[in-house]
Amino acid sequence: MGREVALVHCARCHVVDAGNRLGGIGSTPSFRLLMSLPDGEHRFATFFDRRPHPAFVRMEGVEPLTPLPANAAEAEMTVDDLDALIAYALSLKSASD
Ligand code: HEC
């Protein structure tokens, strides 16, 4: 389920795994790269609060930081989506491709 969330909400900017290796936007870090960082899991758990995401991610239970309209297609996410996403990101750590 986390992979689906990532493909729907993240893959238009990030390379999430081998399935969209050629996707994403060049300057945006891949999920594998992010998860290779010592605090990768923490970065995923708080991504909605990290630039550039607050401008377009609407996280369940989190007040929008800004009343301005989203500057990119808005992503509405639930806490369950986030949990699934983190589990998926963790699985990338051990993936071999
Ligand atoms: C509109 C483009 C876009 C979308 C959609 C997007 N991201 Fe990002 N993301 C970025 C960019 C650009 C950066 C790099 C920001 C930087 O380095 O300053 C980034 C960085 C990150 C980081 C690292 C943040 C940090 O502070 O190190 C994480 C984690 C992340 N994204 C997770 C996600 C997840 C999870 C989703 C989907 C739910 C997602 N992103 C959707 C553009 C996007």
Side-chain angles (χ1 to χ4, degrees):
M1 183 197 161
R3 181 162 193 270
E4 281 73 66
V5 175
L7 288 176
V8 171
H9 290 310
C10 321
R12 63 192 152 102
C13 296
H14 291 272
V15 169
V16 305
D17 64 17
N20 83 320
R21 200 190 295 285
L22 302 177
I25 293 177
S27 56
T28 304
S30 72
F31 278 11
R32 290 286 300 281
L33 176 83
L34 289 169
M35 285 308 288
S36 72
L37 302 172
D39 62 345
E41 185 180 353
H42 176 70
R43 291 185 195 222
F44 271 87
T46 56
F47 90 94
F48 53 86
D49 215 15
R50 294 170 171 266
R51 277 158 57 86
H53 312 97
F56 58 88
V57 175
R58 297 290 173 255
M59 185 64 208
E60 179 188 3
V62 178
E63 255 330 278
L65 278 184
T66 161
L68 296 173
N71 67 354
E74 202 164 67
E76 265 190 54
M77 295 190 51
T78 64
V79 173
D80 284 349
D81 288 341
L82 183 62
D83 283 350
L85 195 61
I86 295 167
Y88 168 65
L90 281 170
S91 79
L92 293 176
K93 257 184 132 157
S94 47
S96 57
D97 67 347

Coordinates of all heavy atoms in Angstrom, one line a residue:
M1 N 0.8 -1.2 0.0 CA 0.0 0.0 0.0 C 0.9 1.3 0.0 O 0.6 2.2 -0.7 CB -0.9 0.0 1.2 CG -1.8 1.2 1.2 SD -2.6 1.5 2.8 CE -3.1 3.2 2.7
G2 N 2.0 1.2 0.7 CA 2.9 2.4 0.8 C 3.4 2.7 -0.6 O 3.5 3.9 -1.0
R3 N 3.6 1.7 -1.4 CA 4.2 1.9 -2.8 C 3.1 2.7 -3.6 O 3.4 3.6 -4.4 CB 4.5 0.6 -3.4 CG 5.1 0.8 -4.8 CD 5.8 -0.4 -5.3 NE 6.6 0.0 -6.5 CZ 6.1 -0.1 -7.7 NH1 4.9 -0.7 -7.9 NH2 6.8 0.3 -8.7
E4 N 1.8 2.3 -3.4 CA 0.8 3.0 -4.2 C 0.7 4.4 -3.8 O 0.6 5.3 -4.6 CB -0.6 2.3 -3.9 CG -0.8 1.1 -4.7 CD 0.0 -0.1 -4.2 OE1 -0.3 -0.5 -3.1 OE2 0.9 -0.6 -4.9
V5 N 0.8 4.7 -2.5 CA 0.7 6.1 -2.0 C 1.9 6.9 -2.6 O 1.7 8.0 -3.1 CB 0.9 6.1 -0.4 CG1 0.9 7.6 0.1 CG2 -0.3 5.4 0.2
A6 N 3.1 6.2 -2.6 CA 4.2 6.9 -3.2 C 4.1 7.2 -4.7 O 4.4 8.3 -5.2 CB 5.5 6.1 -2.9
L7 N 3.5 6.2 -5.4 CA 3.3 6.4 -6.8 C 2.3 7.5 -7.1 O 2.5 8.3 -8.0 CB 2.9 5.1 -7.5 CG 4.1 4.0 -7.6 CD1 3.5 2.7 -8.2 CD2 5.2 4.6 -8.5
V8 N 1.3 7.5 -6.3 CA 0.2 8.5 -6.5 C 0.7 9.9 -6.2 O 0.5 10.9 -6.9 CB -1.1 8.2 -5.7 CG1 -2.0 9.4 -5.8 CG2 -1.7 6.9 -6.3
H9 N 1.3 10.0 -5.0 CA 1.6 11.4 -4.4 C 3.1 11.8 -4.6 O 3.3 13.0 -4.5 CB 1.3 11.4 -2.9 CG -0.2 11.3 -2.6 ND1 -1.1 12.1 -3.3 CD2 -0.9 10.5 -1.8 CE1 -2.3 11.8 -2.8 NE2 -2.2 10.9 -1.9
C10 N 4.0 11.0 -4.8 CA 5.4 11.4 -4.7 C 6.1 11.2 -6.1 O 7.1 11.9 -6.3 CB 6.2 10.6 -3.7 SG 5.2 10.3 -2.2
A11 N 5.7 10.2 -6.9 CA 6.5 9.8 -8.0 C 6.6 10.9 -9.1 O 7.4 10.8 -10.0 CB 6.0 8.5 -8.6
R12 N 5.7 11.9 -9.0 CA 5.8 12.9 -10.1 C 7.0 13.8 -9.9 O 7.4 14.5 -10.8 CB 4.5 13.8 -10.2 CG 4.2 14.6 -8.9 CD 2.7 15.1 -9.1 NE 2.1 15.3 -7.8 CZ 2.0 16.5 -7.2 NH1 2.4 17.6 -7.8 NH2 1.4 16.6 -6.0
C13 N 7.6 13.8 -8.7 CA 8.8 14.5 -8.5 C 10.0 13.6 -8.1 O 11.1 13.8 -8.5 CB 8.7 15.5 -7.3 SG 7.5 16.8 -7.7
H14 N 9.7 12.5 -7.3 CA 10.8 11.6 -6.8 C 10.9 10.3 -7.6 O 9.8 9.8 -8.0 CB 10.5 11.2 -5.4 CG 10.6 12.3 -4.4 ND1 11.8 12.7 -3.8 CD2 9.7 13.2 -3.9 CE1 11.6 13.6 -2.9 NE2 10.3 14.0 -2.9
V15 N 12.1 9.8 -7.8 CA 12.2 8.4 -8.2 C 12.0 7.7 -6.9 O 12.7 7.8 -5.9 CB 13.6 8.1 -8.7 CG1 13.9 6.6 -8.9 CG2 13.8 8.8 -10.1
V16 N 10.9 6.8 -6.9 CA 10.6 6.1 -5.7 C 11.2 4.8 -5.6 O 11.6 4.3 -4.6 CB 9.0 6.1 -5.4 CG1 8.4 7.5 -5.4 CG2 8.3 5.2 -6.4
D17 N 11.3 4.1 -6.7 CA 12.0 2.8 -6.8 C 12.3 2.5 -8.2 O 12.1 3.3 -9.1 CB 11.2 1.7 -6.1 CG 9.9 1.3 -6.7 OD1 9.7 1.7 -7.9 OD2 9.0 0.7 -6.1
A18 N 12.8 1.2 -8.5 CA 13.2 0.9 -9.9 C 12.1 1.0 -10.9 O 12.3 1.3 -12.0 CB 13.7 -0.5 -9.9
G19 N 10.8 0.9 -10.4 CA 9.7 1.0 -11.3 C 9.5 2.3 -11.9 O 8.9 2.4 -13.0
N20 N 10.0 3.4 -11.3 CA 9.9 4.7 -12.0 C 11.3 5.3 -12.1 O 11.5 6.5 -11.9 CB 8.9 5.6 -11.4 CG 9.3 6.4 -10.2 OD1 10.0 5.9 -9.4 ND2 8.9 7.7 -10.1
R21 N 12.3 4.5 -12.3 CA 13.7 5.0 -12.3 C 13.9 6.2 -13.2 O 14.7 7.1 -12.9 CB 14.6 3.8 -12.8 CG 16.1 4.0 -12.4 CD 17.0 3.1 -13.1 NE 16.8 1.7 -12.7 CZ 17.1 1.1 -11.5 NH1 17.7 1.9 -10.6 NH2 16.9 -0.1 -11.3
L22 N 13.2 6.2 -14.3 CA 13.3 7.3 -15.3 C 12.3 8.5 -15.0 O 12.3 9.4 -15.7 CB 13.2 6.8 -16.7 CG 14.2 5.7 -17.1 CD1 13.9 5.2 -18.5 CD2 15.6 6.2 -16.9
G23 N 11.5 8.3 -14.0 CA 10.6 9.3 -13.7 C 11.2 10.4 -12.7 O 12.4 10.5 -12.6
G24 N 10.3 11.1 -12.1 CA 10.8 12.1 -11.2 C 11.4 13.3 -11.9 O 11.4 13.4 -13.1
I25 N 11.8 14.3 -11.1 CA 12.4 15.5 -11.6 C 13.9 15.4 -11.2 O 14.2 15.1 -10.1 CB 11.7 16.7 -10.9 CG1 10.3 16.8 -11.4 CG2 12.5 18.0 -11.2 CD1 9.5 17.9 -10.8
G26 N 14.7 15.7 -12.1 CA 16.2 15.5 -11.9 C 16.8 16.0 -10.6 O 17.6 15.3 -10.0
S27 N 16.3 17.2 -10.2 CA 16.9 17.8 -9.0 C 16.4 17.2 -7.7 O 16.8 17.6 -6.7 CB 16.7 19.3 -9.1 OG 15.3 19.5 -9.2
T28 N 15.4 16.4 -7.8 CA 14.7 15.9 -6.6 C 15.3 14.6 -6.2 O 15.5 13.7 -7.0 CB 13.2 15.7 -6.9 OG1 12.7 16.9 -7.3 CG2 12.5 15.3 -5.6
P29 N 15.7 14.4 -4.9 CA 16.4 13.2 -4.4 C 15.5 12.0 -4.5 O 14.3 12.0 -4.3 CB 16.8 13.5 -3.0 CG 15.8 14.6 -2.6 CD 15.5 15.4 -3.8
S30 N 16.1 10.8 -4.9 CA 15.4 9.6 -5.0 C 15.1 9.1 -3.6 O 15.8 9.4 -2.6 CB 16.1 8.5 -5.8 OG 17.2 8.0 -5.0
F31 N 14.1 8.2 -3.4 CA 13.8 7.7 -2.1 C 14.9 6.8 -1.6 O 15.2 6.8 -0.4 CB 12.4 6.9 -2.2 CG 11.2 7.8 -2.1 CD1 11.3 9.2 -2.2 CD2 9.9 7.2 -1.9 CE1 10.2 10.0 -2.1 CE2 8.8 8.1 -1.8 CZ 8.9 9.4 -1.9
R32 N 15.5 6.1 -2.5 CA 16.6 5.2 -2.1 C 17.8 6.1 -1.5 O 18.3 5.7 -0.5 CB 17.2 4.4 -3.3 CG 16.2 3.3 -3.8 CD 16.2 2.1 -2.8 NE 17.5 1.5 -2.7 CZ 18.0 0.6 -3.5 NH1 17.4 0.3 -4.6 NH2 19.2 0.1 -3.3
L33 N 18.1 7.2 -2.2 CA 19.1 8.0 -1.7 C 18.7 8.6 -0.3 O 19.6 8.6 0.6 CB 19.3 9.2 -2.7 CG 20.4 10.2 -2.2 CD1 21.8 9.7 -2.5 CD2 20.1 11.6 -2.7
L34 N 17.5 9.0 -0.2 CA 17.1 9.6 1.1 C 17.2 8.6 2.2 O 17.6 8.8 3.3 CB 15.7 10.2 1.0 CG 15.5 11.4 0.2 CD1 14.0 11.7 -0.1 CD2 16.2 12.6 0.9
M35 N 16.8 7.3 1.9 CA 16.8 6.3 2.9 C 18.2 5.8 3.2 O 18.4 5.1 4.2 CB 15.9 5.1 2.5 CG 14.4 5.4 2.7 SD 14.0 6.1 4.3 CE 14.1 4.6 5.3
S36 N 19.2 6.2 2.4 CA 20.6 5.8 2.7 C 21.2 6.8 3.8 O 22.2 6.5 4.3 CB 21.4 5.8 1.4 OG 21.6 7.1 1.0
L37 N 20.4 7.8 4.0 CA 20.9 8.8 5.0 C 20.6 8.3 6.4 O 19.7 7.5 6.6 CB 20.2 10.2 4.9 CG 20.4 10.8 3.5 CD1 19.5 12.0 3.3 CD2 21.9 11.1 3.2
P38 N 21.5 8.6 7.4 CA 21.3 8.1 8.8 C 19.9 8.4 9.3 O 19.4 7.6 10.1 CB 22.4 8.7 9.6 CG 23.4 9.3 8.6 CD 22.7 9.5 7.3
D39 N 19.4 9.6 9.0 CA 18.1 10.0 9.5 C 17.0 9.9 8.5 O 16.0 10.6 8.6 CB 18.2 11.4 10.1 CG 18.5 12.4 9.0 OD1 19.0 12.0 7.9 OD2 18.3 13.6 9.3
G40 N 17.2 9.0 7.5 CA 16.2 8.9 6.4 C 14.8 8.6 6.9 O 13.9 9.2 6.4
E41 N 14.7 7.7 7.8 CA 13.3 7.3 8.3 C 12.6 8.6 8.9 O 11.5 8.8 8.7 CB 13.4 6.2 9.3 CG 12.0 5.7 9.8 CD 12.0 4.6 10.8 OE1 13.1 4.1 11.1 OE2 11.0 4.3 11.3
H42 N 13.4 9.3 9.7 CA 12.9 10.5 10.3 C 12.5 11.5 9.3 O 11.4 12.2 9.4 CB 13.9 11.1 11.3 CG 13.5 12.4 11.9 ND1 12.5 12.5 12.8 CD2 13.9 13.7 11.7 CE1 12.3 13.8 13.2 NE2 13.2 14.5 12.5
R43 N 13.2 11.7 8.2 CA 12.9 12.6 7.2 C 11.6 12.3 6.5 O 10.8 13.1 6.2 CB 14.0 12.7 6.1 CG 15.3 13.3 6.6 CD 16.3 13.4 5.6 NE 17.6 13.7 6.1 CZ 18.4 14.6 5.7 NH1 18.1 15.3 4.6 NH2 19.6 14.8 6.2
F44 N 11.3 10.9 6.4 CA 10.0 10.5 5.8 C 8.9 10.8 6.8 O 7.8 11.2 6.4 CB 10.1 9.0 5.4 CG 10.6 8.9 4.0 CD1 11.9 8.8 3.7 CD2 9.7 8.9 2.9 CE1 12.4 8.7 2.5 CE2 10.2 8.7 1.6 CZ 11.5 8.6 1.4
A45 N 9.1 10.5 8.0 CA 8.1 10.7 9.0 C 7.7 12.1 9.1 O 6.5 12.4 9.6 CB 8.5 10.1 10.4
T46 N 8.5 13.1 8.8 CA 8.3 14.5 8.9 C 8.3 15.2 7.6 O 8.3 16.4 7.5 CB 9.3 15.1 9.8 OG1 10.6 14.9 9.3 CG2 9.3 14.6 11.2
F47 N 8.2 14.5 6.5 CA 8.4 15.1 5.2 C 7.4 16.2 4.9 O 7.7 17.2 4.3 CB 8.3 14.0 4.0 CG 6.9 13.8 3.5 CD1 6.5 14.5 2.4 CD2 6.1 13.0 4.1 CE1 5.2 14.4 1.9 CE2 4.8 12.8 3.7 CZ 4.3 13.5 2.6
F48 N 6.1 16.0 5.4 CA 5.1 17.0 5.1 C 5.4 18.4 5.7 O 4.8 19.4 5.4 CB 3.7 16.5 5.6 CG 3.7 16.1 7.1 CD1 3.5 17.0 8.1 CD2 4.0 14.8 7.4 CE1 3.5 16.6 9.4 CE2 4.0 14.4 8.7 CZ 3.8 15.3 9.8
D49 N 6.4 18.4 6.7 CA 6.8 19.6 7.3 C 8.1 20.2 6.7 O 8.6 21.1 7.2 CB 7.0 19.3 8.8 CG 6.6 20.4 9.7 OD1 5.9 21.3 9.3 OD2 7.0 20.4 10.9
R50 N 8.6 19.5 5.7 CA 9.9 19.8 5.2 C 9.7 20.4 3.8 O 9.0 19.8 3.0 CB 10.8 18.6 5.1 CG 11.2 18.0 6.4 CD 11.9 16.7 6.2 NE 12.5 16.2 7.5 CZ 13.7 16.5 7.9 NH1 14.5 17.1 7.1 NH2 14.1 16.0 9.0
R51 N 10.4 21.5 3.5 CA 10.3 22.1 2.2 C 10.7 21.1 1.1 O 11.6 20.3 1.3 CB 11.2 23.3 2.1 CG 10.6 24.5 2.7 CD 11.7 25.5 3.1 NE 12.5 25.9 2.0 CZ 12.2 26.9 1.2 NH1 11.1 27.6 1.3 NH2 13.1 27.1 0.2
P52 N 10.0 21.1 0.0 CA 8.9 22.0 -0.5 C 7.5 21.6 -0.1 O 6.5 22.2 -0.5 CB 9.1 22.0 -2.0 CG 9.4 20.6 -2.3 CD 10.3 20.1 -1.1
H53 N 7.4 20.5 0.6 CA 6.1 19.8 0.8 C 4.9 20.6 1.5 O 3.8 20.4 1.1 CB 6.3 18.4 1.4 CG 7.4 17.6 0.8 ND1 8.6 17.6 1.3 CD2 7.4 16.9 -0.3 CE1 9.4 16.9 0.5 NE2 8.7 16.5 -0.5
P54 N 5.3 21.4 2.5 CA 4.1 22.1 3.2 C 3.3 22.9 2.2 O 2.1 23.1 2.5 CB 4.8 23.0 4.2 CG 6.2 22.4 4.4 CD 6.5 21.8 3.1
A55 N 3.8 23.3 1.1 CA 3.1 24.1 0.2 C 2.0 23.3 -0.6 O 1.1 23.9 -1.2 CB 4.0 24.8 -0.8
F56 N 2.1 22.0 -0.6 CA 1.1 21.3 -1.4 C 0.6 20.0 -0.7 O -0.4 19.4 -1.2 CB 1.6 21.0 -2.8 CG 2.9 20.2 -2.8 CD1 2.8 18.8 -2.8 CD2 4.1 20.8 -2.9 CE1 4.0 18.0 -2.9 CE2 5.3 20.0 -2.9 CZ 5.2 18.7 -2.9
V57 N 1.2 19.5 0.4 CA 0.7 18.4 1.1 C -0.2 18.8 2.2 O 0.1 19.7 3.0 CB 1.9 17.5 1.7 CG1 1.3 16.4 2.5 CG2 2.8 17.0 0.6
R58 N -1.4 18.2 2.2 CA -2.4 18.4 3.2 C -2.4 17.2 4.1 O -3.0 16.2 3.7 CB -3.8 18.8 2.7 CG -3.8 20.0 1.9 CD -3.6 21.3 2.7 NE -3.5 22.5 1.9 CZ -2.4 23.2 1.7 NH1 -1.2 22.7 2.2 NH2 -2.4 24.2 0.9
M59 N -1.8 17.2 5.2 CA -1.7 16.0 6.1 C -2.8 16.0 7.1 O -3.0 17.0 7.8 CB -0.3 16.1 6.8 CG 0.0 14.9 7.6 SD 0.2 13.4 6.6 CE -0.3 12.2 7.8
E60 N -3.5 14.9 7.2 CA -4.6 14.7 8.2 C -4.1 15.1 9.6 O -3.0 14.7 10.0 CB -5.0 13.2 8.2 CG -6.1 12.9 9.2 CD -6.3 11.4 9.3 OE1 -5.6 10.6 8.6 OE2 -7.2 11.0 10.0
G61 N -4.8 16.0 10.2 CA -4.5 16.3 11.6 C -3.4 17.4 11.7 O -3.1 17.8 12.8
V62 N -2.9 17.9 10.6 CA -1.9 18.9 10.7 C -2.4 20.2 10.0 O -2.9 20.2 8.9 CB -0.6 18.5 9.9 CG1 0.4 19.6 9.9 CG2 0.0 17.2 10.6
E63 N -2.4 21.3 10.8 CA -2.9 22.6 10.3 C -2.0 23.0 9.1 O -0.8 22.9 9.2 CB -2.6 23.6 11.4 CG -3.7 24.2 12.2 CD -5.1 24.3 11.6 OE1 -5.4 25.3 10.9 OE2 -5.9 23.4 11.9
P64 N -2.6 23.4 8.0 CA -1.8 23.9 6.9 C -0.9 25.1 7.4 O -1.4 25.9 8.2 CB -2.8 24.4 5.9 CG -4.0 23.8 6.2 CD -4.0 23.5 7.7
L65 N 0.4 25.1 7.0 CA 1.3 26.2 7.4 C 0.8 27.5 6.8 O 1.2 28.6 7.4 CB 2.7 25.9 7.0 CG 3.5 24.9 7.8 CD1 4.9 24.8 7.2 CD2 3.5 25.4 9.3
T66 N 0.2 27.5 5.7 CA -0.1 28.7 5.0 C -1.6 28.6 4.5 O -2.0 27.5 4.1 CB 0.8 28.9 3.8 OG1 0.2 29.8 2.9 CG2 1.1 27.6 3.1
P67 N -2.3 29.7 4.5 CA -3.6 29.8 4.0 C -3.6 29.9 2.4 O -4.6 29.8 1.8 CB -4.2 31.0 4.6 CG -3.0 31.9 4.8 CD -1.9 31.0 5.1
L68 N -2.4 30.0 1.9 CA -2.3 30.2 0.4 C -2.7 28.9 -0.3 O -2.5 27.8 0.2 CB -0.9 30.6 0.0 CG -0.4 31.9 0.5 CD1 1.1 32.1 0.2 CD2 -1.2 33.0 0.0
P69 N -3.2 29.0 -1.5 CA -3.5 27.8 -2.2 C -2.3 27.0 -2.5 O -1.2 27.6 -2.6 CB -4.2 28.3 -3.5 CG -4.1 29.7 -3.5 CD -3.6 30.2 -2.2
A70 N -2.4 25.7 -2.7 CA -1.2 24.9 -3.0 C -0.5 25.4 -4.3 O -1.2 25.8 -5.2 CB -1.7 23.4 -3.2
N71 N 0.8 25.3 -4.3 CA 1.6 25.8 -5.5 C 1.9 24.7 -6.4 O 2.5 24.8 -7.5 CB 2.9 26.4 -5.0 CG 3.9 25.5 -4.4 OD1 3.5 24.3 -4.2 ND2 5.1 25.9 -4.1
A72 N 1.4 23.4 -6.1 CA 1.5 22.3 -7.1 C 0.3 21.5 -6.8 O -0.4 21.7 -5.8 CB 2.8 21.5 -6.8
A73 N 0.0 20.5 -7.6 CA -1.2 19.7 -7.4 C -1.2 19.2 -5.9 O -0.2 18.6 -5.5 CB -1.2 18.5 -8.4
E74 N -2.3 19.5 -5.3 CA -2.4 19.2 -3.8 C -2.4 17.7 -3.6 O -3.1 16.9 -4.3 CB -3.7 19.8 -3.3 CG -3.6 20.1 -1.8 CD -4.7 21.1 -1.4 OE1 -5.9 20.8 -1.5 OE2 -4.4 22.2 -1.1
A75 N -1.7 17.2 -2.5 CA -1.8 15.8 -2.1 C -2.4 15.8 -0.7 O -1.9 16.3 0.2 CB -0.3 15.3 -2.1
E76 N -3.6 15.1 -0.6 CA -4.2 14.9 0.7 C -3.8 13.6 1.2 O -4.1 12.6 0.6 CB -5.7 15.0 0.5 CG -6.2 16.4 0.8 CD -7.7 16.5 0.8 OE1 -8.3 15.7 1.6 OE2 -8.3 17.3 0.1
M77 N -3.3 13.6 2.4 CA -2.8 12.3 3.0 C -3.3 12.1 4.3 O -3.5 13.0 5.1 CB -1.3 12.3 3.0 CG -0.7 12.4 1.6 SD 1.0 12.1 1.6 CE 1.2 10.6 2.5
T78 N -3.6 10.8 4.6 CA -4.1 10.4 6.0 C -2.9 9.9 6.8 O -1.8 9.6 6.2 CB -5.1 9.3 5.9 OG1 -4.5 8.1 5.3 CG2 -6.3 9.7 5.0
V79 N -3.1 9.7 8.1 CA -2.1 9.1 8.9 C -1.8 7.7 8.5 O -0.6 7.3 8.5 CB -2.5 9.2 10.4 CG1 -1.5 8.4 11.3 CG2 -2.7 10.6 10.9
D80 N -2.8 6.9 8.0 CA -2.5 5.6 7.5 C -1.6 5.6 6.3 O -0.8 4.8 6.1 CB -3.9 4.9 7.2 CG -4.6 4.4 8.5 OD1 -4.0 4.5 9.5 OD2 -5.8 4.1 8.3
D81 N -1.9 6.6 5.4 CA -1.1 6.7 4.2 C 0.4 6.9 4.6 O 1.3 6.3 4.1 CB -1.5 8.0 3.4 CG -2.8 7.8 2.7 OD1 -3.2 6.6 2.5 OD2 -3.4 8.8 2.3
L82 N 0.6 7.8 5.6 CA 1.9 8.1 6.1 C 2.6 6.9 6.7 O 3.8 6.6 6.3 CB 1.9 9.2 7.1 CG 3.3 9.7 7.6 CD1 4.1 10.3 6.4 CD2 3.2 10.8 8.7
D83 N 1.9 6.1 7.5 CA 2.5 4.9 8.1 C 2.9 3.9 7.0 O 4.0 3.3 7.0 CB 1.4 4.2 9.0 CG 1.3 4.9 10.3 OD1 2.1 5.8 10.6 OD2 0.3 4.6 11.1
A84 N 2.0 3.8 6.0 CA 2.3 2.8 4.9 C 3.5 3.3 4.1 O 4.4 2.5 3.7 CB 1.1 2.7 4.0
L85 N 3.6 4.6 3.9 CA 4.7 5.2 3.2 C 6.0 5.0 3.9 O 7.0 4.6 3.3 CB 4.4 6.7 3.1 CG 5.2 7.5 2.1 CD1 5.0 7.0 0.7 CD2 4.7 9.0 2.2
I86 N 6.0 5.1 5.2 CA 7.3 4.9 6.0 C 7.7 3.5 5.9 O 8.9 3.2 5.7 CB 7.1 5.4 7.5 CG1 6.8 6.9 7.5 CG2 8.3 5.0 8.3 CD1 6.3 7.4 8.8
A87 N 6.7 2.5 6.0 CA 7.0 1.1 5.9 C 7.6 0.8 4.6 O 8.6 0.1 4.4 CB 5.8 0.3 6.1
Y88 N 7.1 1.4 3.5 CA 7.6 1.2 2.2 C 9.0 1.8 2.0 O 9.9 1.2 1.5 CB 6.6 1.9 1.2 CG 7.2 2.0 -0.2 CD1 7.4 0.9 -1.0 CD2 7.5 3.3 -0.8 CE1 7.9 1.0 -2.3 CE2 8.0 3.4 -2.0 CZ 8.2 2.3 -2.8 OH 8.8 2.4 -4.0
A89 N 9.2 3.0 2.6 CA 10.5 3.6 2.5 C 11.6 2.7 3.2 O 12.7 2.5 2.7 CB 10.5 5.0 3.1
L90 N 11.2 2.2 4.4 CA 12.1 1.3 5.1 C 12.4 0.0 4.3 O 13.5 -0.4 4.3 CB 11.5 0.8 6.4 CG 11.5 1.9 7.5 CD1 10.7 1.5 8.7 CD2 13.0 2.1 8.0
S91 N 11.4 -0.4 3.5 CA 11.7 -1.6 2.7 C 12.7 -1.3 1.6 O 13.4 -2.2 1.1 CB 10.4 -2.2 2.1 OG 10.0 -1.4 1.0
L92 N 12.8 -0.1 1.2 CA 13.7 0.3 0.1 C 15.2 0.2 0.6 O 16.1 0.0 -0.2 CB 13.5 1.7 -0.4 CG 12.2 2.0 -1.1 CD1 12.1 3.5 -1.4 CD2 12.1 1.2 -2.4
K93 N 15.3 0.3 1.9 CA 16.7 0.3 2.5 C 17.3 -1.1 2.2 O 18.5 -1.2 2.0 CB 16.6 0.4 4.0 CG 16.9 1.8 4.5 CD 16.9 1.8 6.0 CE 18.2 2.4 6.5 NZ 18.0 3.0 7.8
S94 N 16.5 -2.2 2.2 CA 17.1 -3.5 2.0 C 17.0 -4.0 0.6 O 17.5 -5.0 0.3 CB 16.4 -4.5 3.0 OG 15.0 -4.3 2.9
A95 N 16.3 -3.2 -0.2 CA 16.1 -3.6 -1.6 C 17.4 -3.6 -2.3 O 18.3 -2.8 -2.0 CB 15.1 -2.7 -2.3
S96 N 17.6 -4.5 -3.3 CA 18.9 -4.6 -4.0 C 19.0 -3.9 -5.3 O 20.0 -3.8 -5.9 CB 19.3 -6.1 -4.1 OG 18.3 -6.7 -4.9
D97 N 17.8 -3.5 -5.8 CA 17.9 -2.8 -7.1 C 17.7 -1.3 -7.0 O 17.4 -0.8 -5.9 CB 16.9 -3.4 -8.1 CG 15.4 -3.1 -7.6 OD1 15.3 -2.6 -6.5 OD2 14.5 -3.3 -8.4
Ligands
HEC1 C1 6.2 18.8 -6.4 C2 7.4 17.9 -6.2 C3 7.4 17.0 -5.0 C4 6.5 16.1 -4.6 C5 5.1 15.8 -5.2 C6 7.1 15.4 -3.5 N1 8.3 15.9 -3.2 FE1 9.6 15.2 -1.7 N2 11.0 16.6 -2.3 C7 10.8 17.4 -3.3 C8 12.1 18.2 -3.5 C9 12.4 19.2 -4.6 C10 12.9 17.8 -2.4 C11 14.3 18.3 -2.1 C12 14.2 19.5 -1.1 C13 15.5 20.0 -0.8 O1 16.5 19.3 -0.9 O2 15.6 21.2 -0.3 C14 12.2 16.8 -1.7 C15 12.7 16.2 -0.5 C16 12.0 15.1 0.2 C17 12.5 14.5 1.4 C18 13.8 14.9 2.1 C19 13.5 16.1 2.9 C20 14.6 16.6 3.7 O3 14.5 17.6 4.5 O4 15.7 16.0 3.7 C21 11.6 13.6 1.7 C22 11.6 12.6 2.9 C23 10.5 13.6 0.7 N3 10.8 14.6 -0.2 C24 9.4 12.8 0.8 C25 8.3 12.9 -0.1 C26 7.2 12.1 0.0 C27 7.0 11.0 0.9 C28 6.3 12.5 -1.0 C29 5.0 12.0 -1.4 C30 4.0 11.8 -0.4 C31 7.0 13.6 -1.7 N4 8.2 13.9 -1.1 C32 6.4 14.4 -2.8 C33 9.8 17.5 -4.2 C34 8.6 16.8 -4.1

